[in-house]
Amino acid sequence: MKNFYTLFLVLACLFSISSISAQTADEPANGDGSEGDPYQIATLENLYWITQNMSRWGKDYIQIADIDASETSGWDDGNGGDPEGWKPIGINSSWYFSGTYDGGGHVISNLFINRPTTEYVGLFASVSASEIRNLILTNASITGHSKVGGIVGYLFNDNGLVSNCSFSGTVSGDPSVGNQIGGIVGCLYYYAKITNSNSSGEVSGKIRIGGLVGYVNNSSIVEQSFSNSAVSGILRVGGLIGCLNEFSNYSTVRNCYSTGDVTRVSGTDTDFGQFIGRNYIAENKVEYCYSSGNVYYTGSENPTDKGFIGYEFSGSFGANYKSNFFNSGASNQTTGNGATAKSDAEMKTQSTFTDWDFEGIWTIDALEVINSGYPYLQNVPPPPPTFTWDGSESTDWNTAANWDGNLAPTSNVNVLIPMVGSKITPNYPTISSTANCNNLTVENGASLTINFGASLITNGTITNNGTINVEQDIDGGAWHFIAAPVSGAVSEIYDGNYLQKWSEIEQKWLDITTLTEPLTAAKGFSLWYDAKTPGTTFTFSGTPFTGDQSIDLYYNGSKGTPDGHIGTNLVGNPYPSYIDWNELSAYGSKYTWNGTGYDVYVPAGDYGEGSQYVAPMEGFFVVAESSGSFDLDNTVRTHNSAKKEAAVLSNAIVLSAQSESYSDALYIVFDESASENFELPRDAWKFISGTRGICQLWTECSDGILAVDVRPQTESIQLGFVNNEAGTYSIAIKEIADISTAVLEDTKLNIFHNLIDGAYSFDWVLTDDETRFKLHCNTTAVENISLPEMQVYVAAGNIIIKSQSTAQRIILTDITGRTLGVWESVESIPAPKTAGVYLVSIESDGQRITEKLIVE
């Protein structure tokens, strides 16, 4: 037994050691590494796959998801001992990455590298004549010997570029020999470039240490970038750049700033600067830059003249400096090479920064919230500050006194809602109008309430360790198309009411009878709340949806049809804010239930009765024309809830079919570039409502029936009309533009009516043909239509007679010729009560005209 136990311990130790160094390289599932079809990096295993073969270092990559690299803290690359972590991509200036890596705006978090004896260290060891872009590294820990950077250790040669990258964490080199250490790049060499990038955290080493880049040399460029990193070293140490250009070809630093503290940890060297530690040659250009941070000498008195460039090497005096400034108060420096000292107040005043571009490059937050009121780059905004709720005044989110900084949050700040107060009912925030923030955190024991009709837009993430309630008011006695605003919601919230889902495959409504049906993000549902009780408020508790949301769209290859549009999908707004449908015009028209019928909105021309904006928790239909998905992100969100303004029409007519309490609109627009059939960007299908007694009007085309019809000019247009109850209804012009004539033809009664003269009233019976009416516009003028000499029809129990001649006598007979009545000088006569075929004759000046009339 003892021997078995010893063997077990040995095996366990071996397993533990092997698990520390276990790394798996998985080839990406998609892409071939070409420029047109880059490898798609979705996992840490995909990323590690790049490191394993140098032939992969010349390929193209795009990251398609955030990657948590925490497990790299246990990797040792098979060498045993302390874990060395991630193995950088590339080796040195001879073996390097030469492809492209596009981070896609995604994050690599918790990357760990511990290689203190290795040169060329970073996520990428060495990169030449290639680009790293749109990449974010957070909470990284990177240690190397020299040429160490958060993103790239050594970036060199023409077209070597780091753009739109961000790093936060620690970057360190050997404190006794560590050379060329930077938050983004260790060494930038020979026509290489950094742009639109930033770093924060800590950067340390011995020589040439910079918050953004340690060493810039030989015609390289750093522009529109900044560092918030705390920087420490022994010599040539700067808040942005440690050392600038030792060779004859000048380098350029333009539109940059640094705010982190700079510290000399030992020694007596004096080339320390809040912005650049040492500038070597006069030809180097430093333009439109500033610094705002302290400069320390550990263990000795504070330095002087280090507010911007710490030291100018022999021959660099009078270098090409232009419009640079430093904060004399923050740096404890009254002078600095290459820049002008300004007070803290002056550094927050736009007029201080002469010749700077505050239209396209820089901006200042007048409220002194973003970047503490100092200038910042429009394309590279600084990390948002955090506003903390204290609820000292009330529960109103938008009351400034309820926040620790006495300012209500804006879209550029993070929000923290902690557990506050000792009151029995503490003041936790309620949003009753509009609210914005970047990241939102609700701590354990705290709460946030979003009233119905309010709108919250979070540009970042939501961390909900407390309670977030989103309210939804529903009126009784009608169906409502709804969508859930929080993750994890299920049908139980509507227990006791009628809830349905739309089956895209079967194209029909299905009752939801379980309490556990998931209310999926961006999926629409139909809800009926009992009319016997007044409206009620439903409360969703959970984490509100934000950021990217998606749901599949069903499509089976068929186009819309009158009896249920194949490819019809019920989707919904998942956000606690409005969405702007004009930002989603690729999906074509939007079909919204108004409680009685369907309102459509066509973003291509702003046509239809529907709204441009979708309310929070509102469901609606879209009709897919191909397989795919309904994709939303924060760019489509808005607080705008404005009602639809009338479109500015041209060459168009809007008809309305009126029943007692409901009007149905039909949009017809003449456009010679359009098709006479359905086109997704221009037209809208007609959705038929089952509501009793309402008129519904449309146009006919070979693809189906349309509520918005954009087509070339044509002589006549076949209309469709239906009402599921018999009655007297009317068709009229609601709006008309650039059309001089609009004649409605009633084919049942053989009547032509000029709608410009007024509405056309008619009797409708359930056996009438839905294609009873035609519209004639412009190309056929009223006077050119062959109108009959006499028109007769039944309306409201009377026979109406319209004739070009004045009727002196009217005679009504049945089909056998039997006279039923004679009337003198009238325009209408009582209609027979018996259905049948009748003849109506008028006599005028000795002439007689007869028309056949069918009474139903």
Side-chain angles (χ1 to χ4, degrees):
M1 177 65 72
K2 181 178 180 181
N3 289 338
F4 173 79
Y5 182 72
T6 301
L7 177 61
F8 174 80
L9 288 177
V10 171
L11 291 173
C13 291
L14 288 173
F15 176 79
S16 177
I17 292 173
S18 65
S19 66
I20 290 176
S21 60
Q23 300 126 42
T24 303
D26 288 344
E27 182 175 356
N30 297 300
D32 59 15
S34 64
E35 181 179 359
D37 188 18
Y39 286 119
Q40 296 183 16
I41 304 301
T43 65
L44 182 61
E45 290 74 20
N46 293 159
L47 194 64
Y48 180 66
W49 177 81
I50 304 173
T51 71
Q52 297 304 291
N53 191 313
M54 288 188 292
S55 66
R56 299 167 189 160
W57 297 351
K59 303 297 184 179
D60 294 318
Y61 302 86
I62 184 167
Q63 188 172 324
I64 62 171
D66 293 344
I67 295 174
D68 185 352
S70 297
E71 67 180 73
T72 57
S73 63
W75 290 5
D76 68 355
D77 200 29
N79 294 325
D82 293 334
E84 293 184 322
W86 173 257
K87 181 179 180 180
I89 300 169
I91 299 175
N92 52 35
S93 59
S94 298
W95 305 96
Y96 46 79
F97 182 80
S98 60
T100 63
Y101 191 94
D102 187 340
H106 291 288
V107 174
I108 298 175
S109 58
N110 307 309
L111 184 73
F112 177 82
I113 303 176
N114 181 31
R115 300 173 182 268
T117 61
T118 302
E119 289 190 272
Y120 304 94
V121 172
L123 174 65
F124 294 85
S126 52
V127 173
S128 178
S130 65
E131 182 176 359
I132 313 299
R133 59 180 179 262
N134 306 321
L135 180 60
I136 303 169
L137 264 66
T138 63
N139 196 38
S141 176
I142 297 177
T143 300
H145 182 277
S146 55
K147 296 183 178 64
V148 183
I151 305 290
V152 180
Y154 187 53
L155 178 67
F156 67 108
N157 281 356
D158 293 348
N159 300 318
L161 176 63
V162 168
S163 65
N164 299 305
C165 290
S166 178
F167 175 87
S168 64
T170 62
V171 181
S172 59
D174 189 309
S176 60
V177 296
N179 186 1
Q180 304 173 41
I181 317 294
I184 293 289
V185 173
C187 178
L188 190 69
Y189 184 77
Y190 196 73
Y191 296 94
K193 184 177 181 180
I194 299 174
T195 184
N196 293 331
S197 297
N198 70 92
S199 64
S200 61
E202 298 180 4
V203 181
S204 62
K206 179 183 179 181
I207 180 173
R208 301 186 182 96
I209 315 298
L212 191 82
V213 55
Y215 186 35
V216 177
N217 213 345
N218 211 344
S219 301
S220 294
I221 297 173
V222 179
E223 66 178 8
Q224 295 200 48
S225 298
F226 72 88
S227 171
N228 286 332
S229 295
V231 186
S232 59
I234 298 176
L235 67 161
R236 299 173 199 171
V237 182
L240 191 84
I241 297 170
C243 184
L244 182 61
N245 208 49
E246 296 181 5
F247 295 120
S248 58
N249 295 333
Y250 73 84
S251 294
T252 300
V253 183
R254 181 184 296 117
N255 291 311
C256 295
Y257 68 94
S258 63
T259 61
D261 292 339
V262 176
T263 305
R264 187 186 70 187
V265 294
S266 63
T268 60
D269 201 274
T270 60
D271 50 0
F272 282 73
Q274 217 301 303
F275 191 67
I276 296 174
R278 172 179 283 204
N279 179 25
Y280 261 90
I281 63 173
E283 289 79 11
N284 290 330
K285 290 184 177 181
V286 182
E287 304 173 334
Y288 313 113
C289 298
Y290 80 88
S291 60
S292 181
N294 212 329
V295 183
Y296 300 94
Y297 282 179
T298 302
S300 63
E301 61 184 280
N302 285 334
T304 58
D305 302 326
K306 308 301 178 186
F308 195 68
I309 293 176
Y311 181 78
E312 294 180 305
F313 190 68
S314 177
S316 67
F317 300 106
N320 289 295
Y321 303 131
K322 185 175 182 180
S323 199
N324 304 310
F325 304 91
F326 71 93
N327 189 328
S328 58
S331 63
N332 285 321
Q333 310 290 303
T334 57
T335 57
N337 299 307
T340 303
K342 294 292 181 180
S343 69
D344 191 70
E346 290 173 316
M347 292 293 291
K348 299 177 181 181
T349 305
Q350 182 172 319
S351 60
T352 296
F353 302 92
T354 53
D355 302 324
W356 284 32
D357 182 357
F358 278 93
E359 293 185 0
I361 297 177
W362 294 94
T363 189
I364 280 184
D365 178 16
L367 297 177
E368 299 187 11
V369 172
I370 310 303
N371 208 33
S372 300
Y374 301 119
Y376 65 93
L377 298 161
Q378 296 178 25
N379 291 338
V380 198
T386 297
F387 283 15
T388 301
W389 173 265
D390 59 39
S392 58
E393 296 295 318
S394 65
T395 61
D396 181 21
W397 171 290
N398 288 309
T399 296
N402 284 321
W403 300 92
D404 61 345
N406 204 36
L407 288 172
T410 62
S411 60
N412 295 319
V413 304
N414 296 329
V415 162
L416 174 64
I417 303 174
M419 187 168 63
V420 298
S422 58
K423 300 178 182 179
I424 296 176
T425 305
N427 290 334
Y428 286 114
T430 294
I431 299 172
S432 56
S433 55
T434 61
N436 294 82
C437 66
N438 186 51
N439 295 335
L440 170 64
T441 300
V442 179
E443 292 189 339
N444 185 32
S447 68
L448 168 67
T449 298
I450 305 170
N451 291 153
F452 182 69
S455 181
L456 168 67
I457 296 178
T458 49
N459 294 325
T461 60
I462 299 177
T463 303
N464 181 21
N465 295 319
T467 302
I468 301 179
N469 294 321
V470 183
E471 296 179 342
Q472 178 190 48
D473 291 351
I474 295 292
D475 293 330
W479 286 101
H480 302 265
F481 287 179
I482 55 95
V486 301
S487 60
V490 295
S491 54
E492 185 178 11
I493 191 172
Y494 297 118
D495 187 21
N497 300 282
Y498 298 100
L499 186 65
Q500 294 182 329
K501 61 183 176 181
W502 176 253
S503 171
E504 279 76 18
I505 295 176
E506 299 176 84
Q507 294 289 287
K508 68 178 184 180
W509 294 103
L510 301 177
D511 291 331
I512 295 176
T513 57
T514 176
L515 299 180
T516 58
E517 177 84 17
L519 304 185
T520 308
K523 182 174 178 60
F525 298 87
S526 186
L527 172 69
W528 176 276
Y529 181 68
D530 195 345
K532 296 179 181 178
T533 59
T536 191
T537 297
F538 296 96
T539 300
F540 289 87
S541 292
T543 302
F545 293 117
T546 188
D548 295 348
Q549 302 296 332
S550 181
I551 190 170
D552 289 339
L553 293 179
Y554 175 77
Y555 173 73
N556 72 346
S558 299
K559 292 199 172 184
T561 61
D563 57 347
H565 299 265
I566 305 302
T568 300
N569 294 261
L570 185 62
V571 297
N573 176 7
Y575 302 119
S577 67
Y578 291 81
I579 58 178
D580 184 348
W581 193 253
N582 282 359
E583 297 296 325
L584 294 161
S585 58
Y587 296 102
S589 301
K590 171 175 67 74
Y591 306 83
T592 306
W593 178 251
N594 61 27
T596 302
Y598 290 92
D599 290 332
V600 301
Y601 176 74
V602 183
D606 193 27
Y607 302 133
E609 299 297 289
S611 172
Q612 176 181 336
Y613 305 102
V614 184
M617 295 170 278
E618 182 180 11
F620 54 96
F621 277 111
V622 295
V623 181
E625 282 212 322
S626 61
S627 298
S629 58
F630 181 59
D631 300 318
L632 301 169
D633 59 33
N634 283 345
T635 64
V636 308
R637 299 175 68 180
T638 180
H639 289 312
N640 200 329
S641 59
K643 293 183 179 179
K644 180 182 181 297
E645 296 181 0
V648 178
L649 298 178
S650 61
N651 297 314
I653 183 171
V654 182
L655 300 180
S656 63
Q658 182 71 45
S659 52
E660 182 176 350
S661 60
Y662 186 80
S663 177
D664 191 48
L666 167 63
Y667 283 69
I668 300 171
V669 181
F670 295 119
D671 184 341
E672 294 307 311
S673 67
S675 166
E676 63 181 10
N677 294 318
F678 180 82
E679 296 177 282
L680 181 72
R682 305 176 191 261
D683 301 317
W685 298 112
K686 178 64 181 179
F687 277 38
I688 299 297
S689 167
T691 302
R692 301 298 301 177
I694 68 168
C695 296
Q696 298 179 84
L697 187 65
W698 63 85
T699 64
E700 301 266 349
C701 74
S702 61
D703 291 332
I705 62 176
L706 306 178
V708 175
D709 186 354
V710 183
R711 59 163 63 210
Q713 181 78 49
T714 185
E715 182 176 346
S716 64
I717 300 171
Q718 179 63 61
L719 304 181
F721 174 91
V722 74
N723 192 310
N724 52 25
E725 291 183 355
T728 300
Y729 307 115
S730 65
I731 296 174
I733 294 175
K734 182 176 181 179
E735 189 174 354
I736 190 168
D738 307 318
I739 295 175
S740 58
T741 57
V743 174
L744 183 70
E745 179 184 357
D746 184 340
T747 61
K748 175 182 177 180
L749 302 178
N750 196 28
I751 293 174
F752 291 81
H753 177 80
N754 191 346
L755 291 172
I756 293 177
D757 293 337
Y760 176 68
S761 296
F762 58 94
D763 287 338
W764 173 264
V765 294
L766 299 184
T767 56
D768 280 348
D769 193 330
E770 291 181 354
T771 59
R772 172 176 167 177
F773 299 104
K774 292 181 180 179
L775 180 68
H776 305 273
C777 287
N778 273 4
T779 54
T780 306
V782 174
E783 56 268 23
N784 294 328
I785 296 175
S786 180
L787 296 173
E789 293 184 78
M790 183 177 70
Q791 301 177 55
V792 293
Y793 57 92
V794 176
N798 291 314
I799 298 174
I800 309 299
I801 299 99
K802 291 188 177 182
S803 172
Q804 298 175 7
S805 302
T806 301
Q808 296 171 335
R809 204 161 68 123
I810 300 174
I811 303 99
L812 176 65
T813 62
D814 62 18
I815 196 63
T816 66
R818 181 167 60 95
T819 298
L820 302 178
V822 178
W823 293 265
E824 302 284 346
S825 300
V826 295
E827 293 183 352
S828 65
I829 60 176
K833 298 186 180 301
T834 305
V837 179
Y838 298 86
L839 299 176
V840 179
S841 303
I842 65 170
E843 292 181 352
S844 177
D845 297 327
Q847 295 184 342
R848 184 168 179 155
I849 305 170
T850 302
E851 285 290 333
K852 183 171 64 175
L853 173 68
I854 299 174
V855 176
E856 297 177 328

